[in-house]
Amino acid sequence: MPTSQPGASGPAEDRATPDELLHTRTGTEVSPEDVVLAAGRDLTPRNLEWARRKLEAEGPAALEKLLP
């Protein structure tokens, strides 16, 4: 139901994230740092090594699998 209050939120479709912002692939290479940060981990040597192994095994899709 619409409201007439100033500053009130509009319909849900007005607040939806545009499709072009939902895609993680930018046409650039995925780095181990990208994978670590997408996993919500700290950039430590151990986590970077984990990310390198994950990228070797899964390729760029490793990043896609971590993001909602």
Side-chain angles (χ1 to χ4, degrees):
M1 173 196 270
T3 74
S4 59
Q5 296 177 0
S9 297
E13 60 269 9
D14 289 344
R15 295 188 314 263
T17 303
D19 188 54
E20 67 270 7
L21 297 178
L22 295 175
H23 300 282
T24 57
R25 293 300 308 262
T26 62
T28 60
E29 193 169 319
V30 177
S31 72
E33 290 85 358
D34 295 332
V35 175
V36 170
L37 293 174
R41 297 180 178 191
D42 292 328
L43 289 172
T44 65
R46 182 178 181 196
N47 288 339
L48 288 169
E49 184 56 36
W50 164 81
R52 281 187 199 94
R53 289 190 312 271
K54 190 165 182 66
L55 281 171
E56 285 177 15
E58 301 174 19
L63 185 63
E64 297 288 334
K65 292 176 182 178
L66 291 170
L67 298 173

